[in-house]
Amino acid sequence: MLSKPVRQVIGLSGGAKMIVMSSLQGFKRAFSVTARNDRKKIHGIIFGAPGSGKGTISERIVKIFELKHLSSGDLLRAHINQKTEFGAKIAPIVNSGGLVGTELLAPLIDHELKLADSNKCGWLLDGYPRTVDQAALLDKSVAPNAVIYLNVPFATIIDRIKARWVHAPSGRVYNLDYNPPKTPGKDDQTGEPLTQREDDKPESVRKRLELYQKVADPVLDFYRSKNILREFKGTESNVIFPVVQAYLENYFIFVSANS
């Protein structure tokens, strides 16, 4: 039986045979390094709204499971900064705040994922696919086998972001909950007043979240239909992550080591 914290955080669609262990330390002791080396490769995608903790959880997954991390945004910016031929094509689109079209983005992602597959443990993709058409194209080339969806309540995300204040001249960011300024409302180094970005105000954040959900839902449904989507619900990354870790360790180490 799943422990209470696991039952509260994880939402699992049926089909795959799984045993999620409540004690991660006991689980790790049960399997040797050989089992890890022989495991099934992770071809993972992570989804989560802005402010859901996706960046924090991605970093932990990549570190623990030794994955190659691929962010569509980072790839596009790298091409622009390196002034490649591809970068020259996409720079006007990205700099104007537009979205790079599938005809340009899909071949880039496909190429990078095939390179990343040389990594012995696999990869984690962030920021792609954005549409069902892109998901279908990806499925035909380098099909994912693990899709992680961080389902964090909008109210939690809004509370996180509305506590964020910045020193506009320097770009220094403060959070009233976990990184507050020494003097309320003042920058630590200059003493100048802090401000809140327009797009960090609650009404702006809610609009962004609603737009994200509208775009993301069809893609999430696509992966649900393939029974590879795992939904993790919660309000704290430190509570959600151990359950994500248990799922990945169980399915990609335990199953492959005993198959």
Side-chain angles (χ1 to χ4, degrees):
M1 178 178 290
L2 301 181
S3 66
K4 185 176 180 181
V6 170
R7 292 198 306 271
Q8 289 176 335
V9 175
I10 192 168
L12 297 177
S13 50
K17 182 179 179 182
M18 310 180 85
I19 303 171
V20 179
M21 311 219 22
S22 59
S23 173
L24 296 179
Q25 293 303 318
F27 182 85
K28 289 176 183 176
R29 288 194 297 269
F31 299 97
S32 65
V33 174
T34 301
R36 177 178 287 273
N37 290 339
D38 290 343
R39 78 187 191 196
K40 183 179 181 181
K41 276 191 178 183
I42 296 174
H43 289 173
I45 303 176
I46 187 165
F47 287 94
S52 65
K54 181 161 59 79
T56 298
I57 289 178
S58 293
E59 287 178 7
R60 295 178 184 179
I61 292 172
V62 168
K63 181 177 180 181
I64 289 175
F65 292 92
E66 301 170 9
L67 304 182
K68 174 70 175 177
H69 186 211
L70 293 170
S71 162
S72 60
D74 288 348
L75 289 172
L76 296 177
R77 284 188 289 272
H79 275 276
I80 292 171
N81 293 337
Q82 293 166 15
K83 298 182 179 179
T84 65
E85 182 178 348
F86 180 78
K89 289 181 180 179
I90 64 171
I93 303 171
V94 174
N95 292 338
S96 66
L99 296 176
V100 176
T102 301
E103 71 282 359
L104 292 173
L105 190 55
L108 171 68
I109 297 295
D110 186 61
H111 173 72
E112 294 293 337
L113 289 179
K114 287 176 179 175
L115 290 177
D117 207 36
S118 62
N119 178 43
K120 66 179 181 180
C121 297
W123 43 260
L124 182 69
L125 177 61
D126 180 5
Y128 185 93
R130 296 190 306 260
T131 69
V132 172
D133 286 344
Q134 290 176 351
L137 285 173
L138 183 64
D139 210 47
K140 292 177 182 178
S141 57
V142 189
N145 54 19
V147 179
I148 295 166
Y149 171 41
L150 307 178
N151 186 350
V152 178
F154 282 5
T156 299
I157 295 174
I158 291 170
D159 282 343
R160 287 176 185 173
I161 296 178
K162 75 180 183 183
R164 187 163 62 191
W165 290 75
V166 299
H167 176 243
S170 67
R172 279 186 288 276
V173 179
Y174 299 86
N175 189 289
L176 301 185
D177 294 331
Y178 57 82
N179 179 37
K182 295 175 183 176
T183 302
K186 303 292 184 181
D187 177 55
D188 286 352
Q189 295 187 26
T190 67
E192 293 172 342
L194 302 176
T195 58
Q196 190 172 48
R197 295 171 179 154
E198 282 298 319
D199 61 357
D200 281 350
K201 293 181 178 179
E203 59 273 20
S204 298
V205 175
R206 181 169 292 279
K207 287 179 182 178
R208 291 209 314 271
L209 292 175
E210 289 172 351
L211 177 60
Y212 166 82
Q213 205 65 53
K214 183 178 179 180
V215 172
D217 277 347
V219 182
L220 297 173
D221 286 342
F222 175 87
Y223 287 120
R224 280 193 188 95
S225 71
K226 293 184 171 295
N227 198 35
I228 58 171
L229 178 78
R230 298 296 179 265
E231 183 173 347
F232 300 87
K233 298 179 181 179
T235 59
E236 298 178 37
S237 295
N238 287 339
V239 175
I240 295 173
F241 176 69
V243 189
V244 175
Q245 182 180 353
Y247 155 63
L248 291 173
E249 286 187 326
N250 178 68
Y251 186 69
F252 291 95
I253 298 176
F254 180 82
V255 173
S256 62
N258 291 273
S259 57

